[in-house]
Amino acid sequence: MDCLFCSIINGDIPSTKVYEDEMVYAFRDINPQAPTHILVIPKIHIPSVDGIDENNSAVVAHIFECIPKIAKAEGLNGGYRVVSNCGDNACQSVKHLHFHILGGKQLADSMA
Ligand code: AMP
């Protein structure tokens, strides 16, 4: 399967890693939209939020255990935003489930 984020997990495409364990990989977004912009992804290929089900939701729970630890390590003490774009109307550009962590400044009030 030709998937950009699977290639990043495999090390075939370079990335700036901020966290890794047996289930999760986190790295800096190549086009940051905030002073801190990190992508947190499962190592298994799930195409989007729409692909989460009872068979794979444990990794999603684990991602949400990792996110506060990553945010703390990044010094996001003032707060941060977690976003996952799902599908074309949400402008999802990479079809491998990912959660954006955005922070390091006062973020916009509007999300859409
Ligand atoms: P989305 O538009 O929600 O699917 O988010 C995809 C994100 O992946 C965008 O914020 C891109 O900047 C980011 N991205 C694309 N290619 C790379 C890459 N090679 N390394 C790091 N981030 C990337």
Side-chain angles (χ1 to χ4, degrees), residues 11-109:
D12 293 335
I13 292 176
S15 64
T16 304
K17 179 171 77 172
V18 298
Y19 177 82
E20 182 176 16
D21 64 27
E22 67 283 356
M23 297 171 85
V24 165
Y25 190 76
F27 57 105
R28 297 198 189 280
D29 196 292
I30 202 167
N31 184 25
Q33 297 187 36
T36 300
H37 187 169
I38 292 166
L39 301 172
V40 189
I41 65 177
K43 287 189 171 178
I44 58 168
H45 183 85
I46 301 171
S48 73
V49 168
D50 228 23
I52 299 170
D53 61 25
E54 64 276 13
N55 298 309
N56 59 28
S57 59
V59 71
V60 180
H62 184 64
I63 285 173
F64 275 85
E65 292 169 359
C66 295
I67 285 172
K69 295 176 187 169
I70 294 168
K72 188 171 184 184
E74 291 288 320
L76 300 178
N77 305 314
Y80 55 92
R81 181 169 291 156
V82 179
V83 176
S84 188
N85 295 318
C86 177
D88 292 341
N89 278 7
C91 301
Q92 181 185 3
S93 61
V94 180
K95 309 304 189 206
H96 182 122
L97 178 65
H98 52 283
F99 295 91
H100 300 255
I101 302 175
L102 297 150
K105 70 171 186 178
Q106 177 62 57
L107 299 170
D109 193 27

